[in-house]
Amino acid sequence: MHLGIVSNNHGKVRNVLEEMGIAHFFDPVIISEEAELYKPDAAIMELACERIGTEPSKCIYVGDHPFDILCAHAAHMPVIWLPVNGFMEVPDSIGAPEYTAASLKDAMNYIINENKKG
């Protein structure tokens, strides 16, 4: 199993991952500023999948914003929505995520169960 990060952010995210001692868990780390691709453009997700060497449909994206759902679905990737704001809703025009998680642990349990299936 691969864990990667796709973030609409700047390169300083890498420093934060290093400082937290977790950078080694994630490969690839795709930062929009570096890739010059920004969610909701599906190309940023496709780049991550290309670097892993797999198809988007075989990945699960965990995101905290409706743009993440839009972007993952545009790349034909299932998505777990982990809203950090309990008041944020997914607009009908974006479509529902495959799964909504109440916590990171909940999201990981879903990923583990999906991995066992396939």
Side-chain angles (χ1 to χ4, degrees):
M1 178 185 330
H2 291 272
L3 293 174
I5 293 176
V6 176
S7 179
N8 270 3
N9 218 311
H10 49 79
K12 292 181 183 176
V13 167
R14 293 181 190 283
N15 296 340
V16 172
L17 296 172
E18 288 291 338
E19 289 169 7
M20 293 175 68
I22 61 173
H24 64 279
F25 290 114
F26 302 100
D27 185 30
V29 175
I30 308 294
I31 307 297
S32 58
E33 181 181 77
E34 298 169 353
E36 296 182 351
L37 297 167
Y38 298 84
K39 294 183 276 182
D41 184 346
I44 196 166
M45 298 295 196
E46 293 162 353
L47 176 61
C49 292
E50 180 182 308
R51 291 202 182 158
I52 292 170
T54 194
E55 298 294 319
S57 63
K58 297 186 187 218
C59 297
I60 300 175
Y61 187 77
V62 179
D64 64 355
H65 193 278
F67 263 8
D68 294 322
I69 299 166
L70 182 64
C71 187
H73 284 172
H76 307 287
M77 182 184 298
V79 62
I80 298 172
W81 188 43
L82 180 59
V84 294
N85 176 339
F87 299 102
M88 186 179 287
E89 294 183 11
V90 178
D92 291 337
S93 61
I94 287 179
E98 282 69 24
Y99 187 76
T100 299
S103 65
L104 188 54
K105 181 178 180 181
D106 187 27
M108 287 306 300
N109 285 336
Y110 180 82
I111 291 167
I112 290 166
N113 288 333
E114 287 299 303
N115 195 44
K116 287 179 184 177
K117 290 180 187 177

